[in-house]
Amino acid sequence: MTVAIVGAGLAGSLLTCFLARRGVPVTLYERRPDPREQQAERGRSINLAISERGLDALRRIGLADKVMADALPMKGRMIHPVEGPLDFQQYSVSGDRAINSISRGALNNALLDAAAAAPGVEIRFEHRLVGLDPKTARMTFETPDRTVEAESDVVLGTDGAGSAVRGRLVADHLVDEAVDFLDYGYKELTIPPAAGAFALDPGALHIWPRGTSMMIALPNPDRSFTCTLFWPNGSFPALDTPAAIEDHFRTHYPDVVPLAPDLVDDYQQNPIGVLGTVHTAPWQAFGRVGLLGDAAHAIVPFYGQGANCAFEDVVELDRCLEDSDGEWARALPLFELRRRENTEAIAEMALANFVEMRDKVASPVFRLGKRIEHALERALPGHYASRYELVSFSTTPYAEVQQRVRRQHQALAGVVLLAGLGLVGLTRRLLR
Ligand SMILES: Cc1cc2nc3c(=O)[nH]c(=O)nc-3n(C[C@H](O)[C@H](O)[C@H](O)COP(=O)(O)OP(=O)(O)OC[C@H]3O[C@@H](n4cnc5c(N)ncnc54)[C@H](O)[C@@H]3O)c2cc1C
């Protein structure tokens, strides 16, 4: 039984490690050259936040400590208003739980090193999948100098949001897909170290909430920050001169301007990224071609969960193989059955978190709500937990998180209503 994995990104290289551990021979195909020998692409999601779900997967293959060695823990959000003081909002009630900023490239390289060292694994870089017969699992790849045919018993597509494997399944009417593009794009900018030190607090995820636009910044091990500016599509080209760019940032992000000497150059040179949610059904065909990670269910990045979720996919698929005695024809449908409601739940929560980050985090009502939430978590340990806590600091299935938070909100609304009625009764009695 041989397995071909298409896409040596985060999900594909982790999956290779998990399958190799089960003694499954794997050939991992990747369209890019070996990233361990290359510079990272300019302006393309340089770092990401890994939280409990991702760490849980890495621990299972003994990689968590290595990856965490260079991680920068972020214990809360630092809100940057246009004017006035910064506002730090801790993520957890105890204040000590953190999400971790890590280099995407370093994580991918660590996973590739582990995959390459595992027995039975072959990695073929510069192999772009361009053809696939889902019935026979025959694949066609383009390499820099020729076209290559390959066969495998099972083909797994971990080739990201624009998946070619998914594209082939859709073309053969075996899978339906819907891509909901967000009306926002993103651009990455850099805040370099200031005199060798971090220019902002590296213990926080920085947010500049501006209603229709939003910027965030995560720290990097070289003491720089990568900022990501999210803005409605069509807005970026409107700033078409250095003066217009500087003016805009001076007005809306005044504290960033002195910290980002290459702002104009970054803005002009870095690409505009596309954001969206991918819905696909089913995730497999003939029990031998499957999709996971972004290829099956890409989400918007506002909960910092896409990679965490893709890593959880790998853990779940491994579990399904265990429960199906290694039979792929049973494991792939079982994986979809167990996992789909969870990926749909995080897709919804990620969209909702965008509204929270760009519109609400700066408002006094939001801050009060968070304080009440933390007070409830403190008063009712084990009974009340915030959505953020459950998503980022637990492995509670996403769908359960959504249901539990809904129940908590209903209960809370009931308590508020009863308290309100009590107050009305009391007022009436006092007025009598
Ligand atoms: C701006 C931004 C910020 C984000 N921040 C976070 C965050 O903080 N936390 C988090 O958990 N997630 C975050 N994400 C989401 C995360 O990046 C993705 O969910 C994650 O990378 C998905 O992993 P994947 O392996 O499924 O796909 P990818 O990482 O996209 O990997 C796909 C791989 O397949 C290869 N490939 C593509 N087509 C072919 C082909 N035809 N043949 C061969 N190979 C191919 C690609 O080269 C690539 O190596 C963010 C995303 C964005 C856009």
Side-chain angles (χ1 to χ4, degrees):
M1 171 68 66
T2 56
V3 172
I5 298 179
V6 181
L10 299 181
S13 36
L14 180 75
L15 180 59
T16 303
C17 297
F18 270 72
L19 293 185
R21 211 176 47 155
R22 303 184 70 81
V24 178
V26 177
T27 308
L28 175 60
Y29 296 94
E30 167 59 45
R31 70 177 170 188
R32 295 171 302 168
D34 188 340
R36 293 168 296 176
E37 294 161 10
Q38 313 278 316
Q39 279 266 318
E41 241 180 294
R42 181 173 180 153
R44 284 277 180 216
S45 182
I46 283 163
N47 52 24
L48 45 76
I50 283 292
S51 47
E52 182 52 28
R53 292 164 205 271
L55 289 175
D56 173 62
L58 292 170
R59 270 184 220 116
R60 288 168 194 260
I61 54 161
L63 266 192
D65 288 346
K66 181 171 183 198
V67 169
M68 285 297 285
D70 283 330
L72 291 151
M74 301 176 290
K75 294 185 177 168
R77 315 177 173 92
M78 185 73 83
I79 310 301
H80 295 241
V82 179
E83 283 174 349
L86 304 184
D87 175 30
F88 180 74
Q89 302 172 359
Q90 65 193 35
Y91 283 133
S92 66
V93 60
S94 56
D96 59 359
R97 290 189 160 171
I99 58 173
N100 304 285
S101 178
I102 57 169
S103 149
R104 175 189 288 274
L107 174 62
N108 208 157
N109 291 352
L111 288 167
L112 279 171
D113 280 344
V121 171
E122 211 179 302
I123 308 182
R124 299 200 182 142
F125 292 103
E126 299 190 81
H127 277 61
R128 175 195 291 269
L129 183 109
V130 290
L132 168 68
D133 179 347
K135 235 184 200 151
T136 60
R138 210 174 161 71
M139 297 160 285
T140 310
F141 294 95
E142 266 175 11
T143 72
D145 46 13
R146 63 200 172 100
T147 301
V148 178
E149 302 282 329
E151 259 179 7
S152 192
D153 296 309
V154 170
V155 176
L156 300 172
T158 51
D159 49 346
S163 170
V165 175
R166 190 180 75 234
R168 291 308 316 151
L169 297 174
V170 170
D172 286 356
H173 306 288
L174 295 165
V175 158
D176 287 327
E177 73 168 13
V179 184
D180 293 338
F181 287 104
L182 196 68
D183 200 17
Y184 276 71
Y186 72 93
K187 199 181 258 291
E188 292 198 340
L189 310 165
T190 304
I191 294 180
F198 283 105
L200 299 167
D201 180 351
L205 186 152
H206 294 260
I207 308 183
W208 290 259
R210 298 291 183 264
T212 53
S213 69
M214 169 179 89
M215 191 159 77
I216 63 170
L218 274 71
N220 297 311
D222 68 358
R223 302 203 165 108
S224 66
F225 278 82
T226 303
C227 306
T228 312
L229 173 64
F230 298 95
W231 218 6
N233 290 327
S235 306
F236 286 103
L239 303 185
D240 53 1
T241 62
I245 296 166
E246 272 179 15
D247 271 3
H248 180 83
F249 277 83
R250 252 185 249 293
T251 309
H252 299 283
Y253 305 96
D255 60 340
V256 175
V257 177
L259 306 179
D262 297 329
L263 178 67
V264 169
D265 188 48
D266 280 351
Y267 191 93
Q268 289 180 324
Q269 299 299 323
N270 289 351
I272 301 170
V274 178
L275 299 167
T277 307
V278 171
H279 305 276
T280 311
W283 290 344
Q284 62 88 32
F286 306 118
R288 69 184 308 183
V289 180
L291 299 168
L292 78 165
D294 274 15
H297 49 68
I299 59 176
V300 294
F302 304 108
Y303 231 119
Q305 285 294 310
N308 285 285
C309 175
F311 281 9
E312 238 186 11
D313 277 4
V314 172
V315 173
E316 187 59 61
L317 180 58
D318 189 53
R319 222 177 262 138
C320 292
L321 275 169
E322 188 65 36
D323 296 346
S324 312
D325 302 319
E327 274 182 47
W328 286 92
R330 283 165 57 206
L332 287 174
L334 182 62
F335 168 70
E336 180 166 356
L337 187 73
R338 290 185 182 168
R339 196 71 187 130
R340 176 176 290 284
E341 62 169 352
N342 293 309
T343 61
E344 283 171 0
I346 188 59
E348 278 176 24
M349 290 190 282
L351 278 166
N353 215 42
F354 184 33
V355 180
E356 179 163 316
M357 285 173 90
R358 68 168 208 246
D359 283 345
K360 299 189 183 161
V361 286
S363 89
V365 176
F366 177 86
R367 287 206 297 271
L368 178 65
K370 281 288 158 207
R371 273 206 292 276
I372 294 173
E373 217 167 38
H374 284 171
L376 284 168
E377 285 178 275
R378 233 173 271 121
L380 305 166
H383 297 283
Y384 189 96
S386 72
R387 180 169 24 223
Y388 197 90
E389 180 94 20
L390 292 168
V391 167
S392 301
F393 305 132
S394 86
T395 53
T396 306
Y398 291 122
E400 245 175 69
V401 171
Q402 224 181 7
Q403 287 150 12
R404 181 169 166 186
V405 169
R406 251 182 230 138
R407 278 199 310 272
Q408 287 179 174
H409 285 174
Q410 278 162 1
L412 209 58
V415 170
V416 171
L417 186 70
L418 284 177
L421 288 175
L423 274 180
V424 171
L426 183 67
T427 317
R428 281 212 189 108
R429 251 175 280 141
L430 288 174
L431 289 174
R432 232 181 258 146

